[in-house]
Amino acid sequence: MSKLWGGRFTKETNQLVEEFTASIEFDQIMAKEDIAGSIAHATMLGECGIIEIDEAELIIEGLNKILKKVEKNEVQFSIENEDIHMNIESLLIEEIGPVGGKLHTGRSRNDQVATDMHLFLKNNTSSIIDFIEEVQNKIVIQAKKHVNTIMPGYTHLQRAQPVSFAHHLLAYFWMLERDKSRFKDSLKRVDISPLGAGALAGTTFPINRQRTAELLGFSDIYHNSLDAVSDRDFIVEFLSDSSLLMTHISRLSEEFVIWSSQEFQFIELDDAFCTGSSIMPQKKNPDVPELLRGKTGRVYGSLIGLLTVLKGLPLAYNKDMQEDKEGMFDTVYTVVGALQLLSGIIDTMKVNENRMYEAVKNDYSNATDLADYLVRKNIPFRQAHEIVGKTVLYAIENHKFLGELNLEEFKMINEVFEEDIYHTLNPKTVMEARISEGGTSTNEVWKQIMKAEECLSITTNMV
């Protein structure tokens, strides 16, 4: 079968060139978007009198038949037709005859592919926002169970101060809330129609771009035809937002790997999200969180790859831009899969409250409160810091924790210490003492949970 663009050529395309330049193996994913764009375009052509109404209706009828076959996986796409656009057009001509060739009037594959990608990302970005919210819901559910569960808070992976486990989990809620906000904001740049921009300069036919935008559910059109066919900022932005989302997923996954280790034993991951060893029968490996960490690099690679493709391109369309799709498709699948798995991990994990509390009791993470105690006794903080440092050193040398020192030992270090120091050093007291807004005290964590639920409720009501 000759190429749809083959009139100017006297030789068949080299087979290797055909295989190397074809994109149908991956852009067939956008078959439904391509058909939707074609139906809108055909509708507009008929309404504007560019083709006859009955021709437009025949084209639309043929496209709908192809759509049904696509949905049933009954279509065999051909590499000879290069991409999804020419495959659909060839199938249409086979279905309805030569009138199918009128579909391409007033448009180019350049604006067609851009339209497909806008539609694809618009739909999938909305889905990703929903999946983020599902993870947030699971975080809130676990947080409400563990407001009073005390665990060591860390800096430099060294025990720092006791915190509520709910407080720790909710930090990821707010990371995801920012991710969700970025994806929502990016929809403003996705929700723009390039259709009708032609190859680069528009078209000589009196088309109605606003009408096709309306039919496809876009809120606006590109106002410059060169920009319309060459813009891939919206994909870069999606990959950037996805990269940051995966960073947050990776950080939480790292926590799960650490917390579920024999050394920590803070949580136990459900068997459904772990695997075993082929040689060591006792092993229960946190493979899913580990792979979520690993997949993060894959998404970063797609972002850097597309930025590299775009950095030296003159206007308007260049074949290099065919490399914009695989990374976008792969990132959508990676992010959606990661969010679904993360939701399941959070929902099913078991929290070892006693183990966490034992860890907090057997460390020096209450030292800051010891310094604050001295400050309340009118000792300047810097001096208090030095006194507590010496107290910690004394305790370490004597193989004790701060709460195990007797009052005589405290008074030996400084006379201002009284019996109430033991209440101050209690992990529960230490946690509850963080009363500043956004702190880890019970009241503040409950306020945070209420705010989180309010955020989720607002989103739900908006939908």
Side-chain angles (χ1 to χ4, degrees), residues 310-323:
L310 295 174
K311 71 176 183 62
L313 296 185
L315 296 178
Y317 184 84
N318 300 270
K319 191 64 172 178
D320 315 48
M321 293 165 76
Q322 185 169 294
E323 292 296 305

Side-chain angles (χ1 to χ4, degrees), residues 121-122 125-130 132-133 136 176-191 237-238 241 454-463:
L121 266 194
K122 185 178 177 182
T125 298
S126 297
S127 295
I128 287 169
I129 290 168
D130 291 339
I132 291 173
E133 190 147 297
Q136 288 180 297
L176 292 171
E177 186 67 15
R178 293 191 296 273
D179 291 324
K180 195 168 67 177
S181 176
R182 276 183 282 270
F183 279 111
K184 286 180 177 179
D185 190 67
S186 74
L187 282 171
K188 298 174 188 175
R189 268 77 66 189
V190 176
D191 195 21
E237 187 172 4
F238 168 76
D241 293 344
E454 182 183 331
C455 288
L456 294 175
S457 175
I458 289 171
T459 305
T460 302
N461 290 337
M462 285 174 64
V463 173

Side-chain angles (χ1 to χ4, degrees), residues 163-299:
V163 297
S164 160
F165 183 56
H167 189 59
H168 193 124
L169 284 178
L170 287 165
Y172 288 97
F173 176 96
W174 299 111
M175 291 183 207
L176 292 171
E177 186 67 15
R178 293 191 296 273
D179 291 324
K180 195 168 67 177
S181 176
R182 276 183 282 270
F183 279 111
K184 286 180 177 179
D185 190 67
S186 74
L187 282 171
K188 298 174 188 175
R189 268 77 66 189
V190 176
D191 195 21
I192 307 173
S193 175
L195 192 56
L200 75 161
T203 177
T204 59
F205 295 96
I207 62 171
N208 186 340
R209 291 189 62 207
Q210 296 289 347
R211 177 59 175 150
T212 50
E214 177 189 357
L215 289 168
L216 292 169
F218 288 116
S219 61
D220 200 1
I221 66 169
Y222 279 87
H223 298 290
N224 182 291
S225 59
L226 283 165
D227 185 37
V229 297
S230 63
D231 174 37
R232 296 296 184 269
D233 294 357
F234 66 103
I235 304 178
V236 171
E237 187 172 4
F238 168 76
L239 295 174
S240 177
D241 293 344
S242 297
S243 293
L244 197 45
L245 169 61
M246 288 301 296
T247 299
H248 298 149
I249 291 174
S250 182
R251 293 183 73 178
L252 182 52
S253 297
E254 171 69 5
E255 307 258 36
F256 290 150
V257 171
I258 292 173
W259 291 344
S260 63
S261 68
Q262 285 291 108
E263 286 71 23
F264 277 72
Q265 297 181 49
F266 285 177
I267 64 169
E268 181 182 355
L269 298 177
D270 192 87
D271 286 359
F273 297 95
C274 297
T275 64
S277 166
S278 63
I279 189 172
M280 295 168 283
Q282 83 282 6
K283 295 291 294 298
K284 180 177 176 179
N285 298 326
D287 277 13
V288 175
E290 289 174 346
L291 193 54
L292 291 178
R293 285 185 316 196
K295 294 282 188 181
T296 301
R298 186 185 189 106
V299 175

Side-chain angles (χ1 to χ4, degrees), residues 200-435:
L200 75 161
T203 177
T204 59
F205 295 96
I207 62 171
N208 186 340
R209 291 189 62 207
Q210 296 289 347
R211 177 59 175 150
T212 50
E214 177 189 357
L215 289 168
L216 292 169
F218 288 116
S219 61
D220 200 1
I221 66 169
Y222 279 87
H223 298 290
N224 182 291
S225 59
L226 283 165
D227 185 37
V229 297
S230 63
D231 174 37
R232 296 296 184 269
D233 294 357
F234 66 103
I235 304 178
V236 171
E237 187 172 4
F238 168 76
L239 295 174
S240 177
D241 293 344
S242 297
S243 293
L244 197 45
L245 169 61
M246 288 301 296
T247 299
H248 298 149
I249 291 174
S250 182
R251 293 183 73 178
L252 182 52
S253 297
E254 171 69 5
E255 307 258 36
F256 290 150
V257 171
I258 292 173
W259 291 344
S260 63
S261 68
Q262 285 291 108
E263 286 71 23
F264 277 72
Q265 297 181 49
F266 285 177
I267 64 169
E268 181 182 355
L269 298 177
D270 192 87
D271 286 359
F273 297 95
C274 297
T275 64
S277 166
S278 63
I279 189 172
M280 295 168 283
Q282 83 282 6
K283 295 291 294 298
K284 180 177 176 179
N285 298 326
D287 277 13
V288 175
E290 289 174 346
L291 193 54
L292 291 178
R293 285 185 316 196
K295 294 282 188 181
T296 301
R298 186 185 189 106
V299 175
Y300 292 174
S302 294
L303 171 61
I304 298 303
L306 182 55
L307 286 169
T308 304
V309 166
L310 295 174
K311 71 176 183 62
L313 296 185
L315 296 178
Y317 184 84
N318 300 270
K319 191 64 172 178
D320 315 48
M321 293 165 76
Q322 185 169 294
E323 292 296 305
D324 58 3
K325 297 173 195 63
E326 289 177 278
M328 178 182 74
F329 299 148
D330 188 73
T331 295
V332 167
Y333 302 141
T334 299
V335 167
V336 168
L339 288 168
Q340 290 176 306
L341 288 168
L342 185 61
S343 179
I345 291 170
I346 296 169
D347 187 44
T348 59
M349 71 179 181
K350 295 178 182 177
V351 179
N352 191 340
E353 300 173 23
N354 293 333
R355 175 73 177 184
M356 287 183 176
Y357 188 70
E358 285 301 312
V360 171
K361 280 176 59 180
N362 298 322
D363 65 19
Y364 301 93
S365 62
N366 48 8
T368 303
D369 290 72
L370 192 60
D372 290 345
Y373 174 91
L374 293 173
V375 168
R376 292 189 179 92
K377 300 288 186 178
N378 208 30
I379 295 176
F381 181 79
R382 277 295 150 222
Q383 186 179 341
H385 189 286
E386 183 179 356
I387 292 169
V388 173
K390 291 177 179 178
T391 306
V392 171
L393 179 60
Y394 173 85
I396 291 171
E397 290 174 343
N398 287 273
H399 309 289
K400 294 182 177 181
F401 297 107
L402 293 175
E404 295 174 335
L405 298 177
N406 60 46
L407 188 57
E408 289 71 25
E409 288 174 302
F410 274 117
K411 283 190 172 292
M412 178 184 69
I413 294 167
N414 195 289
E415 281 295 324
V416 302
F417 287 116
E418 300 293 343
E419 190 70 34
D420 60 352
I421 189 59
Y422 296 105
H423 174 73
T424 300
L425 292 173
N426 184 284
K428 177 70 172 174
T429 306
V430 173
M431 187 184 83
E432 293 292 1
R434 267 65 197 173
I435 58 173

Side-chain angles (χ1 to χ4, degrees), residues 66-83:
I66 295 169
L67 177 60
K68 289 178 182 177
K69 291 179 182 178
V70 167
E71 291 172 340
K72 295 178 181 178
N73 293 318
E74 295 176 353
V75 174
Q76 290 292 321
F77 295 112
S78 165
I79 197 170
E80 285 76 20
N81 283 322
E82 301 177 19
D83 54 39

